[in-house]
Amino acid sequence: MFDARLRPLIDRPLNAVARTLSGTGITPNVITGFGFFLGLLAAGALTLQLDYVALGLILASRIMDGLDGAVARNAAPRSRHPGAKSQESDLGGYYDIVADFLFYSGIVLAFAIGRPEHALMAAFLIFCFVGTGSSFLAYAIVAAKQDRNHDKQGKKSFYYLTGITEGSETIFVLCLMCAFPKWFPQIAAVFGALCLMTTFGRVLQARRDFG
């Protein structure tokens, strides 16, 4: 919901860092991998109930998640072969989306491991994440087939369908859970319901656009 509004604020500092990294040999895929590794560390910290350590690692991981795209946009083509840059960007986009969905569900799973009393609500939230993720990616597949595209959230490797719960809201909620772990069931219930609303809205959008 807020991704498009936050994008102009986020892009400026990320692009500045990306320009600094230009020519260092650090590729977007390396940054994606490092961000995912930080996410794994955050999950590990949560299993040990090191909530504020996990909070810091989550924020660092999500900075890397934004930085990889900025580096990709600012990078010069490394090959003279036509299409080389787009192929690299497509692979990077693939890595990015896989890492994102594993990160989101992995953080929730880590809460369940560290606090088994919250396992039921963690399972519910992961179920809701499957709904938002599948409705998001399925729409993108059909949109690509029909050659649809837009850049409201910045240049993307695929069609980015909006909704109530997007990346910004999910990150905020994960951080909120780390700051107030005792409130995990309540936070998961509310956010899970919003995820289900997002899934339903995307299904209706697909019906309107592709029906």
Side-chain angles (χ1 to χ4, degrees):
M1 184 167 61
F2 293 113
D3 283 9
R5 299 177 184 179
L6 293 174
R7 177 57 57 184
L9 301 175
I10 295 171
D11 277 350
R12 183 174 296 180
L14 289 179
N15 287 333
V17 175
R19 286 190 293 270
T20 301
L21 294 176
S22 179
T24 63
I26 299 176
T27 67
N29 291 344
V30 169
I31 297 173
T32 299
F34 182 61
F36 182 65
F37 175 70
L38 292 175
L40 292 178
L41 291 180
L46 284 172
T47 64
L48 300 174
Q49 299 190 18
L50 301 174
D51 303 308
Y52 287 102
V53 173
L55 175 59
L57 289 168
I58 287 172
L59 292 174
S61 173
R62 296 305 87 192
I63 291 173
M64 295 299 105
D65 181 56
L67 185 60
D68 59 4
V71 171
R73 290 189 295 271
N74 284 274
R78 295 186 176 184
S79 172
R80 296 181 181 178
H81 296 292
K85 184 179 180 180
S86 66
Q87 290 173 4
E88 182 179 349
S89 298
D90 288 344
L91 180 60
Y94 174 81
Y95 287 152
D96 185 64
I97 196 67
V98 170
D100 280 351
F101 281 100
L102 287 175
F103 166 80
Y104 293 140
S105 58
I107 292 297
V108 177
L109 174 62
F111 269 103
I113 295 172
R115 296 175 171 85
E117 66 273 18
H118 297 334
L120 180 60
M121 289 310 301
F124 168 72
L125 186 55
I126 291 175
F127 165 77
C128 297
F129 281 176
V130 171
T132 55
S134 60
S135 61
F136 173 82
L137 294 175
Y139 189 100
I141 291 170
V142 180
K145 183 179 178 180
Q146 297 188 0
D147 201 26
R148 295 170 180 254
N149 199 6
H150 72 70
D151 298 330
K152 289 182 180 179
Q153 281 80 16
K155 188 67 176 177
K156 298 286 185 180
S157 299
F158 48 84
Y159 193 102
Y160 197 103
L161 184 63
T162 59
I164 299 173
T165 56
E166 298 176 11
S168 301
E169 292 80 14
T170 305
I171 295 165
F172 173 76
V173 165
L174 295 180
C175 290
L176 196 64
M177 290 172 173
C178 292
F180 304 100
K182 292 183 179 179
W183 288 87
F184 177 88
Q186 292 84 353
I187 297 171
V190 172
F191 193 66
L194 292 175
C195 287
L196 292 178
M197 291 172 61
T198 297
T199 301
F200 183 68
R202 286 172 173 167
V203 171
L204 292 180
Q205 184 69 44
R207 183 180 176 86
R208 286 192 295 268
D209 292 347
F210 307 139

